[in-house]
Amino acid sequence: MLRLRAKGWRAAAPVAVLLAGLIGFTSGQPAAAEPASLTQTYKCVFPIMEEDPLTVVIKADLPAKVKVGEQVPAFHVTSVSKVSKSAATALRTVGGATLEGVATADVTVHMPEGPLNIGLDNTIPKTPLPQPPADFEVTATGRAPALTFRQPGSVKIDVNRLLLTMTPRDTTGAKTALDTFETECTLDPADQNKTLHTVQVEPGTTDPTDPPDPGGGDPVPLDFGIKGSTHIKAAKGSAPLAGGIDTRYDPDKGTFDADLELDPTRGQFTLLGFLPTSADITFEQAGRTTGTLDAAGSLTAHSEMYVKLTGVSALGLPIGGGPNCRTVEPARIDLASEGRFQPHIGGKLKGTYTLPGLKGCGGFNDMISAFTAGPGNTIDLDLTYEK
């Protein structure tokens, strides 16, 4: 299933858990590995305290060299984050006894064929907060999806920033007054080293094709995560996108079909040219997503889905929407890959579409429809292979 996820929090502590699964590759043939290490300092903010520094040490065993078409073996990353006494004090002040959540790392794999941006979610396990408050460390391990390099050259793996979603809990396991909070941790200083490791990709003996044929022409199941956004031209605003897609690829025909899901989202728009408006948006698939993917990595896809506005507010006041508010017909969305799309890695997709008019949106239906419907809307997606 294509699954788009973007998660974050306003906190300083368990960055290690996120970095534990930054980047990983799977392969049946192990390549020679060497120790890699990166120390970074971040600036993060708790909801009830000022900016707090965080030091993260990331370690992994990574290959120094691979060949074109060769997959790097799965490797584990271990990271240790040193969290300050101030952070522990702030969380203890609101009754926190443990900390847990989800963290997302922004990683760029700079390949000869172009950069690959990866946003990877990691579960942060329940971490005890010291009592009395004191500096403490969070250690985590993990791994991430497969990569195959298609051109010779140097591949640099950079860790850019962190986005986290955190929940402190009290001794009974209940949430504290902070509930679940968000923050983005940024490198401080910004110009410090971001490179965990550099892999040298050497010419291979064959020119690999992508994706691999499993034999017998059987469909290949491919699941992806996606993240991105859509811009609505008439409404002069955008909405983030998240969701997933389960794909069955036929390597003999170069075609695929898939079940597409998009998570509920919220967009910020403008009505009447000046009125700030927000809309809660859901999506309903009207048919299976279909498309083609050739050996050169060129992908095209066609999806049809109803767009529903479950709530529309202007200046914070409800003006329409509801469970029956949706487009009069499915929006038809055509996407094409930007650069090479690799089934066991992913890639970028872009497209334009027309948003049909709306119905069932209440007394202001016609106004809302007039300022949202129309052509020239754009969509940008990053797909990341999951399994």
Coordinates of all heavy atoms in Angstrom, one line a residue, residues 254 279 305 308 312 326:
G254 N 4.6 -4.9 -18.2 CA 5.0 -3.6 -17.8 C 3.9 -2.8 -17.3 O 3.9 -1.5 -17.4
A279 N -10.2 23.6 5.3 CA -11.1 22.6 4.9 C -10.5 21.2 5.3 O -9.3 20.9 5.1 CB -11.3 22.6 3.3
M305 N -10.8 9.4 -7.8 CA -11.3 9.4 -6.5 C -12.2 10.6 -6.2 O -12.0 11.6 -6.8 CB -10.2 9.3 -5.5 CG -9.2 10.5 -5.5 SD -7.9 10.3 -4.3 CE -7.1 8.8 -5.0
K308 N -13.9 14.7 -0.7 CA -14.9 15.1 0.3 C -14.4 16.2 1.2 O -13.3 16.1 1.7 CB -15.4 13.9 1.1 CG -16.0 12.7 0.3 CD -16.4 11.6 1.2 CE -17.1 10.5 0.4 NZ -17.6 9.4 1.3
V312 N -15.7 22.9 6.4 CA -15.1 24.1 5.8 C -15.4 25.2 6.8 O -16.5 25.5 7.2 CB -15.7 24.4 4.4 CG1 -15.1 25.6 3.8 CG2 -15.6 23.2 3.5
R326 N -19.1 16.4 -1.3 CA -18.1 15.7 -2.1 C -18.2 16.2 -3.6 O -19.2 16.8 -4.0 CB -18.2 14.2 -2.1 CG -19.4 13.6 -2.8 CD -19.3 12.1 -2.8 NE -20.2 11.5 -3.8 CZ -20.2 10.2 -4.1 NH1 -19.4 9.4 -3.4 NH2 -21.1 9.7 -5.0

